[in-house]
Amino acid sequence: MIKNISVIEGDGIGPEVMKQTIKVLNSITIKYGHDFHYKNVLAGSKAIEKLGDPMPKETIDNCLKSDAVLFGSIGDPKYDHNPIGNRPEDGLLKLRKRMNLYCNIRPIVVFPKLEKSPIKKEFLHEVNFIIYRELTGGIYFGKKGRCKNGEKAYDYCVYSKEEIERIGEMAFKAAVSRKKKVTLVDKANVLETSRLWREVIKKISMDYPDVDLDFLYVDNAAMQIIMNPKKFDIILTDNMFGDILSDESSILTSSLGLLPSASIGYDKSMFEPIHGSYPKAKGKNIANPLGCILSGSMMLEYFGMHKEKNILEKAVKNSIEKKICTPDIIDSKLSSTTEEVGDYIKKYIMNQ
Ligand code: IPM
Ligand code: MN
């Protein structure tokens, strides 16, 4: 298969983890006779520096034309005080919106051999749930600004029935082939948007009689994810709650650096690790490339390349079993570098 892929390395550790991801994907394409054409495009702080815009038009055009986008990470403290719309993070939000990537899928899977989680082992056995995070609406995209000479600020949270329906359908469809359970996480005791989410999702659930639907307030969900993570299958939630709960859930898996995600729209998609740009680790060869590599694996699945995805995931599992890991998930005296992890996974795939 021939695929055109836009690559946004982004800021901080983005270029380092992306380099390993491309290396690993190249071993897959060689092995299975695919042809991936990568096009590097600018976003975030590098785009601000060169073009004065965190998401230049050329980048958006390229991403819209390609079969998929691979994204590293974004954010640079140097630009924290830039005006609204001109911070590196704004570039990512603009791209998500322009590509209509309304459904962000974040699998939370615990690898058995990892023991860096501060949570007791007995709570972690067989944890496997997926967060379906709405990605193009809510408080992230509502009107925002300042008034009263800058001494008052506002961020509106708005959701429409259609925005809730389209991700709701995706979540129920996913539950059908899993443990058949959807948990809607909201704050319906306080927020009107949450009450609309409940109404719409209850209606959708009627078309899925085999799927159990339950509801949790987000404060309670934050506690249950730590106390009883095994009870979850699909967590369906809005943009803001999904952002917060996914970082929290990463604690179960040992490291945020391990977690991939797929952002899906009507006919566009982007694959991005959950972690940020981790500026302190930039250039040190210590960043965990697995979140980005596993995002590449979600891209293979999206392309319908199931054998390819399986072998990549087997290689990742093997690297963890053999303790070829970065210091976030293993004792730092025994750890490998970002490059070494990528090399090991590549070699494993080539030797299959
Ligand atoms: C994420 C990130 C982004 C978000 C930031 C970088 C804008 O935290 O993908 O989880 O908040 O969505
Ligand atoms: Mn986040």
Side-chain angles (χ1 to χ4, degrees):
M1 262 189 227
I2 299 176
K3 295 287 178 192
N4 291 307
I5 299 164
S6 299
V7 177
I8 298 176
E9 293 181 338
D11 304 325
I13 58 168
E16 298 162 54
V17 295
M18 188 58 76
K19 186 172 163 209
Q20 305 315 310
T21 303
I22 305 283
K23 184 193 279 178
V24 167
L25 286 172
N26 283 343
S27 65
I28 294 277
T29 53
I30 293 169
K31 190 114 191 130
Y32 289 92
H34 299 302
D35 203 358
F36 288 180
H37 300 282
Y38 300 103
K39 169 102 183 132
N40 270 296
V41 284
L42 282 181
S45 65
K46 281 187 207 129
I48 295 177
E49 269 146 37
K50 285 210 171 132
L51 303 161
D53 182 351
M55 185 48 64
K57 184 174 177 302
E58 301 93 274
T59 298
I60 296 178
D61 290 346
N62 240 292
C63 292
L64 287 172
K65 274 195 302 215
S66 60
D67 295 306
V69 180
L70 276 175
F71 190 95
S73 61
I74 213 157
D76 186 328
K78 199 166 131 195
Y79 297 104
D80 276 354
H81 301 292
N82 269 20
I84 293 180
N86 214 27
R87 300 180 54 202
E89 289 85 348
D90 293 323
L92 173 60
L93 300 184
K94 186 169 173 188
L95 185 62
R96 287 174 178 168
K97 191 77 174 175
R98 286 297 306 277
M99 293 178 73
N100 241 323
L101 305 174
Y102 61 85
C103 180
N104 183 224
I105 303 171
R106 302 188 154 187
I108 310 293
V109 180
V110 172
F111 290 96
K113 292 272 156 61
L114 283 184
E115 285 166 8
K116 265 270 179 114
S117 172
I119 312 281
K120 282 190 194 133
K121 250 205 242 144
E122 63 259 35
F123 289 90
L124 299 178
H125 182 59
E126 288 181 349
V127 166
N128 184 332
F129 61 90
I130 309 183
I131 299 175
Y132 272 65
R133 170 190 177 195
E134 201 289 327
L135 202 62
T136 51
I139 197 167
Y140 271 61
F141 290 94
K143 190 172 172 216
K144 55 182 86 252
R146 297 274 182 120
C147 48
K148 298 253 189 260
N149 285 329
E151 290 180 358
K152 209 168 182 180
Y154 54 90
D155 296 273
Y156 287 167
C157 182
V158 183
Y159 268 110
S160 70
K161 175 170 162 266
E162 290 71 26
E163 284 175 315
I164 301 167
E165 268 168 359
R166 58 189 184 176
I167 185 165
E169 286 289 346
M170 298 275 273
F172 275 90
K173 281 196 185 111
V176 167
S177 55
R178 292 175 50 93
K179 287 179 269 174
K180 300 190 172 47
K181 184 170 171 196
V182 171
T183 304
L184 177 63
V185 172
D186 60 25
K187 188 71 187 170
N189 50 348
V190 176
L191 302 177
E192 198 52 33
T193 44
S194 290
R195 291 192 270 266
L196 180 64
W197 271 80
R198 285 206 182 194
E199 270 167 47
V200 174
I201 297 303
K202 267 185 202 158
K203 265 208 188 113
I204 293 179
S205 76
M206 289 175 192
D207 297 333
Y208 296 86
D210 295 344
V211 177
D212 280 344
L213 170 64
D214 65 357
F215 304 95
L216 277 185
Y217 297 141
V218 63
D219 44 355
N220 186 6
M223 185 176 73
Q224 300 278 338
I225 282 174
I226 300 297
M227 297 282 290
N228 195 3
K230 268 178 252 183
K231 76 176 214 172
F232 295 106
D233 182 18
I234 302 285
I235 291 181
L236 169 61
T237 193
D238 79 3
N239 204 344
M240 180 66 136
F241 299 152
D243 180 48
I244 297 167
L245 293 182
S246 50
D247 273 37
E248 187 199 3
S249 304
S250 76
I251 294 300
L252 304 167
T253 71
S254 289
S255 170
L256 189 58
L258 275 172
L259 299 188
S261 88
S263 302
I264 307 291
Y266 295 104
D267 58 350
K268 303 277 168 245
S269 61
M270 178 156 86
F271 299 86
E272 41 177 326
I274 290 180
H275 61 70
S277 59
Y278 195 8
K280 280 196 200 122
K282 180 182 171 180
K284 293 195 179 147
N285 210 6
I286 55 168
N288 194 337
L290 295 184
C292 196
I293 291 174
L294 290 168
S295 301
S297 145
M298 293 183 86
M299 180 181 77
L300 295 175
E301 186 174 22
Y302 175 81
F303 288 156
M305 299 176 179
H306 301 291
K307 283 195 305 284
E308 293 83 337
K309 169 202 177 252
N310 288 342
I311 191 170
L312 200 165
E313 289 183 3
K314 197 171 147 206
V316 167
K317 270 192 200 131
N318 187 274
S319 75
I320 292 173
E321 274 161 23
K322 292 278 150 53
K323 301 201 183 317
I324 313 296
C325 299
T326 45
D328 53 323
I329 52 173
I330 200 176
D331 182 343
S332 57
K333 286 187 221 88
L334 306 171
S335 65
S336 302
T337 64
T338 309
E339 286 271 345
E340 283 165 351
V341 172
D343 287 340
Y344 181 88
I345 292 172
K346 174 189 164 183
K347 208 158 140 207
Y348 183 94
I349 293 169
M350 295 308 287
N351 287 338
Q352 289 301 296

